[in-house]
Each structure stands twice: as C-alpha cells, then as structure tokens.
Amino acid sequence: MTGRGTSLPLLLTRVRERSPGPAAGAFGGVVAAGLGLGGCAVLVTVLWISSPYPDSGPDGALRTAAALWLLAHGAELVRTDTLSGVPAPMGLSPLLLLALPVWLLHRAARDAAEGTDGRPLPQAGAVWAGVALGYLLAGAGAAVYASGGELRPSWPSCAFHLVAVTVLAAGAGVWTAHGRPRGPLPARLARHVDRLPSAFVHEVLPVGARAAAAGTAVLLAGGALVLGAGLVWHGGAVRDSLLQLTAAWSGRFAVLLLCLALLPNAMIWGAAYALGPGFLLGTEHQVGPLGGAAGPLLPAFPLLEAVPSRATGTPLTWAVGAVPVVAALTVARFVVRGADEDWPLRRVAGAVGTAAVLCGAALAGLAVASGGALGVHALSAFGPVGWLTGAAAVAWIAVPGLPVALGICWWRARESSVRPRLSAWATGWKDRRGAAAEAKESARAAKEASAGFEPYDFFHGQDQGDREFFDAARTTVPAAPLAPAPAGTDRPEPAAAAEPTTAPEPTAATDAGATAAAPPATPADAPSEPGGPAAAEPAGEDEQAR
C-alpha cells in the first residue's frame, strides 16, 4: 500500500488471488501491452519535445508511438507523406525493439501461470489463452488509433505478426512457469514424430540441435565482427553521415537510437555477407564479398556507410570466409562431443547433416526477419535473401564440418587399438635411448680410466680397505745383517729380526760396533768358512723363504 492507493504488483497479486486462470491472464496481457505502449510513447514524446521543428502536435506524436510499437512486433507500416504522393511501405523492423514486447509478454504469462501460496497452479491452457486475448485486444486498439496518423499499419501484416509474437511469447512464459516440462507432445504432432526413427528423435536430433545453436551463434558473432570492421574502416564516412543528417543534437540522438535498434539487423546482414550471398540494397544492387557496391539512391546513414564501396572483391573481403569455416568446425566439435563412442559413422554424418539443416533454417528465418522494404520500386527489397542465405549456411556447415567430424570419430574408434601400439613404440624408444646413453657413459668412463692409468696402480677401483692393506704390505722392512757363522756349521744363523719400528738408519760405525759386540756362536750353529764346502751347497728352505 502507498499513500495514493494500491501499487501495481500488489494489484496484480490480488487479481490472481480473486480470479486465477483466464481472467488474471487477460489482465496481465492488457498490462503488458500498456507498458510497451507507454515506453514507446515516452521515447517519442521526449524526441518530439526536444526537436526544434516538430512537424505535428501531441496527437501526431502519440500516433507515431503506437505505430512504432506495432513496428516492434514486425508489422509493416505504410508511409503516406511521400514526395510523390504514393504511399510507400516500410517493412524493415528494428529487431532490438522486439525485445521489449517479448519480455513483457513472457513475464505476464509466467506470473499469471504461477499459483499463489497455498493454491495449485492454474490450468496452463486457460492462462495462455487469457494472456493472448488481453494482449491482442490492446494491440487491436493501438492499431486502430495509429491508422489515423502518417504511419499507418498494414492490416494483414499487422494481424499476422501481432498474433505470432503474442502466441509464442505467452506460451514460453506459461511453459517456464510450469518448470519447462518435456512432457508428451500433442496428439497430431506425436503421430508425425512417431513415424521417424527412434534413434534419430532421441539421439541424433538433440545433438544436432545443440550443434546448430552453437554454429548459429558463431555465425552471428562473425557478422558482428564484420560489421565492426566495416565501421572502423570507414570511420570518417560514418561520422560525416551522422553530421549531415541533422544539425540538431536531438536529431542526432534520435539517429543514434535508430542505429542502436538496427544493430541486430546489421549483425545478420554481416553474417549473410560472410556466407557469400550478401544482402540487397535495393532491387538492383547486391553486395557480397566477391563484389558489389551501393546504389546512388541510398540515403546518408551511418550503418550504410560501412558497406564496401568497391565493385570488385579484394583479399580483405575474401577473408570473411573464415567465419563460416569456424562455424563448421564448431558444429563438428559439438557433434563429436555429444556423440557416443559406439555411434556408427553413418549416425555421426546424420547428426552433422541435421545440424547443417537446422542452422540453415535459422539463418534463413533471421535473414527474412532482418530485411524488408523501405519504399517502392528500387527500394522495395532491403536485406539478405532468405533462401540464398539458408542454402549457403547449409553448404558451409556440411562441406567442412562433415569430414572433420567423421575423421575425429574414426580416430576415436581406432584409438583403442592404436594407443597400445603407440605406447609400446614409445616405451621401446625410451629403452633404446636409455641403453645408448648408458653405453656412451661407459665408453666415456673407460676412456677417462685409460687416460689416467699408471703402471703401479694395480688396485684401481678397489675398496679403500684393500688399498690401505696393500699399501702397508708394500712398505719393505730392512733385513738384519747376517752374523758370521761359527766353524763347523753348515749355514750361518740369521740375526734376530729388528722390530718394525721407525728406527734411525744404521751407520757404518754402528754396524762395526755391533759386529764386535756380538757373542760367539755355538759350534752347532756356526757357519762354514767362506769358500768352504758348505758355502757351495744350495740354499735351504729358510734361505729360499728369505
């Protein structure tokens, strides 16, 4: 509650509580239409007030706002104030304006289909019909009011587009309120679906639909990139056209708003340009990457200045062919990711073909929605040709994407048998490299050992304990001198061995004194005289041991 009365959200809640179902839906549809009309009225009124030279009064501004609201739904308008006096159609609808009525309808249907606290959900069909009925009644009133202005609606086009947008947006809102169920299809549609193979419906179609959505997004992003490159390349002409259209700041602001509303259209035109068919700028002028130029009857408009001015293609314009190639690779990647490992190649090819067809259908529909007429005769066709754009999208997606997807799936199927072979080969290669490295290291060590070898180094490479033992054994202890052998003995008696101590070397005087002080030898042990018979005998075991 507020000081002035009940707020709008609270009023909607009370209406849903008192009369759930069709009544609440109809009220929500009327409110959604009123909000859309009010937004357009505010925008047009602000521009009318800020214009230095308004052409009409407030009534004309409001009728223009109603016509703009109908144009946002895709309805074709008829302009009566032409120089020739012949009414001229205006069917090029800015796609960004479509977001406002779609969002309002979706939210109104969703809120009406949601049950209040403690109450079950109302019947979906009744809510959907109520929202559509209320919105269409408000739209019919707006069309009748706009028919008295300079921009009058074309009744067949207005009826078709207004009903189509209302039914689809309200149905999506009700479906969202019920949790986006994937329940059984209607009986008529189910009979046609049952005729298709079960594997195609439950496996191939979902994978192809996701891949088609990804490919379409890549194409639209590429179209935006092409548009941005054209605007930057022709930046000076774009600025000059904006300044030449009007000198008032309010008029320039209105032109900028119109360019912003036409940006989605320009993105689709850029995607069609990258696919090859390009788009029409009149019945006699087609622009594409292979060549084309704008006609002399085109007005100075910032977005139109981004069109290439050369009649023949250049390598720079041919480079846009990378956009559909990337889209085809994206589709192949999504198909391979969504496909099971046991899928045959025929099913994979079917998924790629399905994705290509769905992507072509989406691009064809967007091309038709983004174009339209801006007048009669030469200006009766603006934008991409739908069937040409769709056919080019199918060809670009199928031709590069099909072999890529099949090649990836074939390699993945053979990976189970190829991977062990590759692993064995890699292991053997590593072993051979390790053996070669060890042999090289051994050869290097042997070469270093032979270069540093000395004759006395017999124990090179032995343990430290063995080296110390043999070094100690190699140290020679000086032998004691032999004492003179007494007479009558066969051999001399060796003197007592000296202790293995570090004694000073004996001098000549010391040796003489030691010899003189030696006690006389016993007869049994005395050696024979030098030159005697005993001296000529061969040495005994002790002597050999010495």
Side-chain angles (χ1 to χ4, degrees):
M1 298 295 292
T2 61
R4 298 182 179 179
T6 306
S7 60
L8 182 59
L10 184 59
L11 181 60
L12 294 175
T13 304
R14 288 187 176 183
V15 169
R16 289 201 304 270
E17 290 178 354
R18 294 180 180 180
S19 56
F27 183 76
V30 172
V31 171
L35 291 176
L37 285 168
C40 293
V42 169
L43 177 62
V44 174
T45 302
V46 170
L47 294 177
W48 175 76
I49 293 174
S50 60
S51 176
Y53 306 104
D55 294 338
S56 59
D59 182 67
L62 294 178
R63 293 181 187 274
T64 302
L68 182 64
W69 182 77
L70 295 173
L71 183 65
H73 293 78
E76 185 179 281
L77 302 179
V78 178
R79 187 163 50 92
T80 58
D81 58 338
T82 59
L83 297 178
S84 61
V86 179
M90 189 175 67
L92 203 157
S93 174
L95 293 180
L96 190 61
L97 296 180
L98 182 63
L100 179 62
V102 167
W103 177 72
L104 291 173
L105 266 171
H106 183 276
R107 183 169 182 178
R110 186 196 63 187
D111 294 344
E114 290 178 349
T116 57
D117 296 338
R119 293 187 178 184
L121 292 175
Q123 191 176 1
V127 173
W128 174 60
V131 172
L133 180 61
Y135 195 87
L136 289 176
L137 288 176
V144 171
Y145 179 72
S147 61
E150 297 179 352
L151 292 175
R152 301 175 182 179
S154 174
W155 292 107
S157 176
C158 180
F160 173 76
H161 289 90
L162 195 62
V163 171
V165 171
T166 303
V167 168
L168 293 177
V174 174
W175 182 57
T176 303
H178 285 262
R180 299 183 179 91
R182 298 182 180 180
L185 299 174
R188 294 183 179 180
L189 184 59
R191 285 197 299 268
H192 294 286
V193 172
D194 292 340
R195 298 176 182 176
L196 299 174
S198 177
F200 174 79
V201 175
H202 297 92
E203 297 180 3
V204 175
L205 188 58
V207 173
R210 288 192 293 268
T216 304
V218 171
L219 286 175
L220 293 179
L225 183 62
V226 171
L227 172 64
L231 291 175
V232 173
W233 189 266
H234 303 89
V238 172
R239 183 183 64 255
D240 294 341
S241 64
L242 177 63
L243 298 178
Q244 291 175 5
L245 279 176
T246 176
W249 286 103
S250 59
R252 294 174 182 176
F253 180 70
V255 172
L256 289 178
L257 288 180
L258 181 58
C259 292
L260 181 63
L262 288 171
L263 277 182
N265 303 62
M267 290 172 54
I268 299 172
W269 291 22
Y273 183 87
L275 286 171
F279 49 87
L280 295 175
L281 294 178
T283 56
E284 300 178 358
H285 303 280
Q286 185 173 3
V287 180
L290 300 180
L297 298 178
L298 294 178
F301 191 71
L303 293 181
L304 294 179
E305 297 296 335
V307 177
S309 58
R310 299 188 62 177
T312 58
T314 61
L316 188 62
T317 59
W318 300 339
V320 298
V323 173
V325 172
V326 174
L329 297 180
T330 304
V331 169
R333 181 69 181 92
F334 270 78
V335 169
V336 172
R337 181 184 298 178
D340 296 334
E341 294 184 359
D342 57 346
W343 273 25
L345 296 181
R346 181 177 59 184
R347 188 174 298 178
V348 175
V352 175
T354 303
V357 172
L358 293 177
C359 187
L363 263 295
L366 291 174
V368 172
S370 65
L374 289 179
V376 295
H377 304 299
L379 300 179
S380 61
F382 263 76
V385 180
W387 69 271
L388 279 177
T389 305
V394 171
W396 273 107
I397 297 298
V399 173
L402 188 60
V404 171
L406 292 178
I408 295 176
C409 289
W410 175 81
W411 178 257
R412 188 175 63 179
R414 289 183 56 87
E415 190 177 5
S416 58
S417 60
V418 174
R419 179 176 291 181
R421 298 179 184 178
L422 291 178
S423 179
W425 177 83
T427 304
W429 180 73
K430 290 181 180 179
D431 294 343
R432 288 192 299 271
R433 287 202 61 181
E438 291 179 0
K440 186 176 180 181
E441 183 67 21
S442 301
R444 186 181 62 81
K447 185 177 181 180
E448 291 179 356
S450 61
F453 175 76
E454 296 183 5
Y456 58 83
D457 195 3
F458 297 100
F459 302 100
H460 179 72
Q462 299 293 331
D463 295 338
Q464 186 65 24
D466 296 343
R467 184 185 297 274
E468 293 177 357
F469 172 76
F470 287 106
D471 287 346
R474 193 169 56 182
T475 304
T476 304
V477 180
L482 295 177
T489 59
D490 295 337
R491 54 184 178 181
E493 181 181 6
E499 295 293 332
T501 57
T502 57
E505 292 290 336
T507 60
T510 307
D511 294 341
T515 304
T522 58
D525 297 331
S528 59
E529 289 293 333
E537 294 180 0
E541 294 178 1
D542 295 340
E543 187 66 16
Q544 292 179 358
R546 187 180 300 108

